[in-house]
Amino acid sequence: MSPIHVAVCGPALAGPAEFEAAEEVGRLLAEAGAIVVCGGGTGVMDAVARGCREAGGITVGLLADPDRADASEHLTVSIPTGMGETRNALVARSGQAVIAIGGEFGTLSEIALALKIGRPVVGLGTWEVAKPGYSSDPIVRVGSPTEAVRRALELASGL
């Protein structure tokens, strides 16, 4: 059985709480044997890659740029797409579940793209999504990195 892939998204300009949460999420995903996919840059992306790497895991960064110059040094694999923000669709599609930590508009786009293609999204202090005619927020809300990883792995496994 191949490992579960979990995409993690969040702001490039993360605050201390977002950075700490992302690093813990990366560590916990690595300990669970999951492969982490992210945008490969700064902020939450760098923090999740750092946590994953320090725990011996694999992190794949799908870079917006056409080269690796600004890639996180903590990535196991970096893929320069040259696609700019369009690469957000690749990040959203690459995970069997998505964990959104905090976020700016790029994170919102990854959440929306993931939901559009039916990927479960677990939110840790992230956007609220509402659509007229829907009775609930489609994001699974959690309060800690441990809960985010647990729920993402359950949802990715179809449990």
Side-chain angles (χ1 to χ4, degrees):
M1 186 168 153
S2 64
I4 291 174
H5 291 63
V6 177
V8 179
C9 56
L13 298 174
E18 293 165 327
F19 196 89
E20 185 178 314
E23 193 168 342
E24 180 72 1
V25 163
R27 183 183 66 75
L28 293 169
L29 286 169
E31 289 173 356
I35 294 177
V36 174
V37 180
C38 68
T42 62
V44 163
M45 298 169 282
D46 182 56
V48 75
R50 180 179 174 172
C52 185
R53 177 178 164 193
E54 288 178 354
I58 297 171
T59 305
V60 177
L62 300 173
L63 310 173
D65 295 332
D67 58 49
R68 293 178 174 86
D70 295 322
S72 168
E73 66 181 319
H74 304 293
L75 296 170
T76 308
V77 177
S78 59
I79 302 171
T81 68
M83 297 174 70
E85 290 77 20
T86 305
R87 70 82 157 79
N88 291 356
L90 300 176
V91 173
R93 187 169 285 281
S94 294
Q96 292 160 270
V98 175
I99 297 175
I101 302 170
E104 295 296 334
F105 288 112
T107 308
L108 179 59
S109 74
E110 288 167 313
I111 291 168
L113 290 163
L115 292 171
K116 179 169 179 53
I117 62 172
R119 295 289 194 274
V121 177
V122 176
L124 184 58
T126 195
W127 288 86
E128 293 182 21
V129 178
K131 182 177 178 187
Y134 285 78
S135 61
S136 66
D137 183 347
I139 299 172
V140 177
R141 302 281 164 189
V142 296
S144 71
T146 299
E147 192 179 0
V149 169
R150 181 182 62 78
R151 292 294 290 140
L153 292 173
E154 286 174 355
L155 292 165
S157 299
L159 298 176

